[in-house]
Amino acid sequence: MKADTVIYRIVWKDYPPDLVWYEPGENLGDGLIKEFEDRLAAEAEADQQAADEEAELEQLEEEEAMPAP
């Protein structure tokens, strides 16, 4: 295996943790890798949106807590 080979951790749904293993990307096919990358991108986008909403809420709370001039 080459040093620059990307290895993916494979976890099968409803299987025990001792059946987890690692495979190089070339063994998985483009469909599985794309699905994985799309899911990661969607999770990152959702996390960013939640962080943005939290920051906006904190800003509103700070503005409400400020005394009137």
Side-chain angles (χ1 to χ4, degrees):
M1 188 173 312
K2 293 185 253 172
D4 62 344
T5 300
V6 176
I7 302 294
Y8 291 89
R9 182 173 182 244
I10 308 298
V11 180
W12 294 102
K13 183 178 179 180
D14 299 327
Y15 279 79
D18 60 333
L19 293 179
V20 171
W21 71 88
Y22 298 84
E23 287 287 337
E26 62 234 17
N27 290 357
L28 301 177
D30 294 334
L32 285 175
I33 294 173
K34 176 152 178 32
E35 180 183 331
F36 172 71
E37 290 173 347
D38 289 348
R39 188 175 328 124
L40 282 181
E43 289 174 2
E45 185 178 333
D47 289 346
Q48 183 61 52
Q49 183 177 2
D52 291 346
E53 290 172 358
E54 181 67 26
E56 184 179 347
L57 179 60
E58 287 177 7
Q59 182 179 0
L60 289 172
E61 288 174 349
E62 286 177 11
E63 289 173 3
E64 287 178 358
M66 296 178 91

